[in-house]
Amino acid sequence: MDNKDSVILPGIGEVTEKSGFIKLEQCSDGFYREGKEGVVCIYATGDKKVEFVSFEDRTIAYVKSAMGYPAYYPVPEVKMEKPLKAVLMDLDGTTVRSEEFWIWIIQQTTASLLDNPRFELEDADMPYVSGHSVSEHLKYCVNKYCPDKTVEEARNYYFEHTHREMQAILEGRGREGAFTPSPGIKDFLMELKGMGVKLGLVTSGLYEKAYPEILDAFHTLGMGKPDDFYDSIITAGFPLRKGSCGTLGELSPKPHPWLYAEVARVGLGLDYSQRHSIVGIEDSSAGISSIRLAGFAAIGIKDGNIIQGGTLGLCNHYCDTFEEILGILK
């Protein structure tokens, strides 16, 4: 797309070549088509996970699902009103540098499914094996690399690898550098605390993998317990296994809006009418989509897959460091 051909999507803003979006003639479910029933244009994020159907006065988002449960959402207008009431932050890749570890677990899982210990994921796989739910990641790998297997088989291997590696980390013999606090994160969080801003931590990760991460990072930073520091923490809950009760999370993760919506409305007690005083920070394409669909301004931070996943056009700001982000938030 040439800049001269840029268009304005209600709720999103200007779409240019740099946005990373892909123009479509029709929605992938076949329900909407450009030029029909008031549809002005249709665009998808670069990773094709979210499709935006634009009308003259509104845009709706079609969030696809590898697990067979897609959904449509309104795309609300967003802006940043100061003083901010809350800052919501992703865990993996944003607060803690752990994405490589969890991608490695996905790779190990796929290797087990293939019975090939030398298997490696490709660079093209990266937008699809981070930022979403475990089941979404595994479904992608099953579809691409071993279609004769099932997601359920993959989940068994995934939790087997996860339990082994997490236990090894707790015993001090795990994968080196698995969970490293992001550069500048302590000063950033402490500055926000001093500003009286409420802090929410949001992750598509299951509790059993997410909590040890942030606990380990806070121990490294000398910041005490994350439960005491954050005003609210939302994870994708607990996995559904035979003999135990699971919680909702695998079908409603990023890029769906629910995790960010829940941490703000339920966890922090902030009404939807206050959403312009809430900002979300993410490094992943799925996370940026989730923030925007929840109705909040989104700030992207480098080193994730925002550009690779084609969601730069959803970022209100895109920054290199937390120091740079702080300058925007103050």
Side-chain angles (χ1 to χ4, degrees):
M1 179 194 304
D2 297 327
N3 287 337
K4 62 183 177 62
D5 295 326
S6 66
V7 297
I8 303 295
L9 303 188
I12 295 176
E14 185 180 19
V15 175
T16 69
E17 184 179 12
K18 294 181 179 179
S19 299
F21 292 176
I22 301 169
K23 196 173 189 309
L24 304 177
E25 290 187 0
Q26 67 177 30
C27 203
S28 59
D29 65 353
F31 198 79
Y32 291 103
R33 187 177 183 87
E34 182 179 336
K36 302 290 185 180
E37 298 180 329
V39 176
V40 175
C41 56
I42 302 173
Y43 284 88
T45 54
D47 58 11
K48 300 181 181 179
K49 283 287 187 177
V50 183
E51 298 173 356
F52 298 105
V53 183
S54 180
F55 300 84
E56 287 289 346
D57 60 345
R58 70 191 189 283
T59 298
I60 58 175
Y62 176 62
V63 178
K64 297 162 71 176
S65 171
M67 300 295 288
Y69 288 87
Y72 277 97
Y73 299 99
V75 179
E77 298 281 351
V78 304
K79 57 183 177 180
M80 192 186 305
E81 294 180 348
K82 299 178 182 179
L84 294 176
K85 295 182 182 296
V87 172
L88 316 178
M89 295 181 65
D90 168 52
L91 175 61
D92 295 313
T94 303
T95 303
V96 178
R97 297 295 173 87
S98 56
E99 283 292 82
E100 287 188 7
F101 174 79
W102 293 114
I103 290 172
W104 177 71
I105 291 288
I106 295 291
Q107 180 173 283
Q108 293 295 100
T109 300
T110 309
S112 295
L113 287 169
L114 294 169
D115 194 22
N116 176 14
R118 300 180 65 181
F119 169 80
E120 292 186 0
L121 291 166
E122 302 172 351
D123 288 343
D125 297 327
M126 296 305 108
Y128 308 99
V129 294
S130 63
H132 305 280
S133 72
V134 169
S135 292
E136 287 269 335
H137 298 157
L138 297 178
K139 180 64 173 174
Y140 168 81
C141 290
V142 166
N143 287 348
K144 180 173 180 178
Y145 293 109
C146 40
D148 59 321
K149 306 296 183 181
T150 67
V151 172
E152 288 68 33
E153 290 175 282
R155 283 172 60 86
N156 289 335
Y157 280 121
Y158 176 88
F159 289 117
E160 178 183 311
H161 288 300
T162 296
H163 292 156
R164 183 189 66 250
E165 294 299 325
M166 295 302 279
Q167 186 61 39
I169 288 170
L170 292 174
E171 294 173 0
R173 56 180 179 83
R175 189 174 176 85
E176 187 175 349
F179 307 136
T180 304
S182 295
I185 188 65
K186 181 176 182 178
D187 290 342
F188 179 72
L189 291 173
M190 296 306 293
E191 188 75 21
L192 290 178
K193 274 284 187 181
M195 291 166 56
V197 174
K198 290 185 177 182
L199 296 175
L201 185 66
V202 182
T203 176
S204 281
L206 296 165
Y207 176 85
E208 65 186 68
K209 82 180 191 69
Y211 187 74
E213 275 187 56
I214 192 60
L215 187 64
D216 182 73
F218 264 54
H219 176 74
T220 299
L221 295 170
M223 294 178 65
K225 292 184 64 178
D227 330 42
D228 297 328
F229 184 86
Y230 287 99
D231 296 288
S232 183
I233 299 175
I234 293 291
T235 73
F238 298 91
L240 179 61
R241 299 192 186 101
K242 184 175 176 57
S244 65
C245 295
T247 51
L248 184 66
E250 287 294 293
L251 293 180
S252 58
K254 309 167 189 177
H256 295 276
W258 301 116
L259 291 172
Y260 275 102
E262 182 149 342
V263 78
R265 184 63 189 90
V266 181
L268 301 180
L270 297 173
D271 189 78
Y272 185 71
S273 63
Q274 299 173 293
R275 66 188 183 279
H276 297 314
S277 296
I278 302 171
V279 171
I281 304 173
E282 271 277 0
D283 77 308
S284 76
S285 59
I288 288 295
S289 296
S290 179
I291 291 170
R292 287 296 300 265
L293 293 181
F296 311 133
I299 298 179
I301 190 165
K302 71 169 187 177
D303 294 333
N305 65 8
I306 290 172
I307 294 177
Q308 189 178 13
T311 53
L312 188 60
L314 295 177
C315 294
N316 297 90
H317 299 277
Y318 184 77
C319 301
D320 290 340
T321 66
F322 283 114
E323 184 178 8
E324 186 181 349
I325 294 175
L326 194 60
I328 293 169
L329 300 183
K330 282 189 169 180

